[in-house]
Amino acid sequence: RPENVSLDGEGNLAITARKELYQGQQYTSGRIKTQGLFSQARGRFEARIKLPIGQGIWPAFWLLGADFEQIGWPRCGEIDIMEYRGQEPNITHGSLHGPGYSGGGAISGRYTLSGAGFNADFHVFAIEWEREKITWLIDDVPYQTFTPEDLPDGTPWVFEHSFFIILNVAVGGHFVGPPNAATTFPQTMLVDWIRVYKWVPVEEEGP
């Protein structure tokens, strides 16, 4: 619902999930994307985000192949920079989806935060995307790297073309399950900033 994507008055993007009847559904939320506006292949993609909390709350910061409408998913490729179950506030996930390794069969890993959960403060979620290599970082600490060798045998590495950015907060779904009586609403994901960098070739030294 458009009203669920706004600025919070303190310089942050706010994507808010609410429990309310709307178009026959019990919940509303929001999604924002750069499809048709901005896409890039490789580089560093990062965002400083404070996450919501609660059973059934599913926020994500992710990239989708810019050729999605032409060839469909998962052939276009998907890079999940940050995916999170609201009922596990100290754990985030980073994943790759492509032909033969999508959905529940994605190539995936997790990061566990010690102390207070990701709902307690802002953290920087990032990838550094090189040719045939993607590394995930949280607060500039690398925690996993995937290359074509990590894919199932015979499946393609589909991460050499431009991808666009998506930020959203889902409610329910196979990854998190439905909200329960302990889930409070509204729940909001706050985004301080998003930054994208290109790799610049280093000039070889010579006479």
Side-chain angles (χ1 to χ4, degrees):
R1 193 175 186 182
E3 295 89 332
N4 295 33
V5 180
S6 64
L7 297 176
D8 71 348
E10 298 182 6
N12 302 306
L13 169 68
I15 301 178
T16 302
R18 297 186 171 94
K19 186 175 183 179
E20 58 181 350
L21 291 175
Y22 181 73
Q23 296 185 351
Q25 303 298 317
Q26 298 181 38
Y27 304 96
T28 66
S29 190
R31 176 179 65 183
I32 191 166
K33 58 184 180 177
T34 66
Q35 185 178 14
L37 301 171
F38 172 83
S39 64
Q40 179 173 300
R42 298 185 291 276
R44 180 177 169 112
F45 293 72
E46 63 180 8
R48 185 171 184 263
I49 302 173
K50 184 177 180 181
L51 295 174
I53 191 171
Q55 164 69 41
I57 305 299
W58 182 4
F61 167 38
W62 51 298
L63 310 179
L64 195 62
D67 54 358
F68 165 69
E69 291 187 345
Q70 288 73 46
I71 66 173
W73 182 91
R75 287 179 61 200
C76 66
E78 175 182 329
I79 304 171
D80 297 326
I81 301 173
M82 178 281 298
E83 197 171 19
Y84 164 93
R85 294 182 173 101
Q87 60 264 43
E88 297 176 339
N90 291 78
I91 299 172
T92 61
H93 303 257
S95 307
L96 295 179
H97 300 256
Y101 50 99
S102 61
I107 307 303
S108 186
R110 59 166 54 186
Y111 178 94
T112 301
L113 180 70
S114 60
F118 287 103
N119 62 301
D121 204 350
F122 285 89
H123 294 270
V124 178
F125 303 91
I127 59 163
E128 292 186 349
W129 176 7
E130 304 171 61
R131 191 176 300 277
E132 297 195 341
K133 177 182 177 182
I134 302 175
T135 299
W136 280 253
L137 309 91
I138 294 182
D139 297 326
D140 280 330
V141 177
Y143 74 93
Q144 71 180 15
T145 297
F146 294 136
T147 70
E149 286 69 39
D150 296 302
L151 303 184
D153 289 345
T155 60
W157 178 263
V158 291
F159 307 102
E160 295 298 339
H161 60 286
S162 292
F163 281 55
F164 61 88
I165 300 168
I166 305 173
L167 287 156
N168 69 275
V169 179
V171 179
H174 68 278
F175 187 64
V176 295
N180 60 22
T183 308
T184 60
F185 288 90
Q187 287 292 331
T188 300
M189 177 169 76
L190 294 176
V191 184
D192 182 11
W193 45 255
I194 301 171
R195 297 171 182 165
V196 181
Y197 303 85
K198 286 187 176 181
W199 301 132
V200 178
V202 177
E203 295 289 341
E204 292 186 8
E205 293 185 6

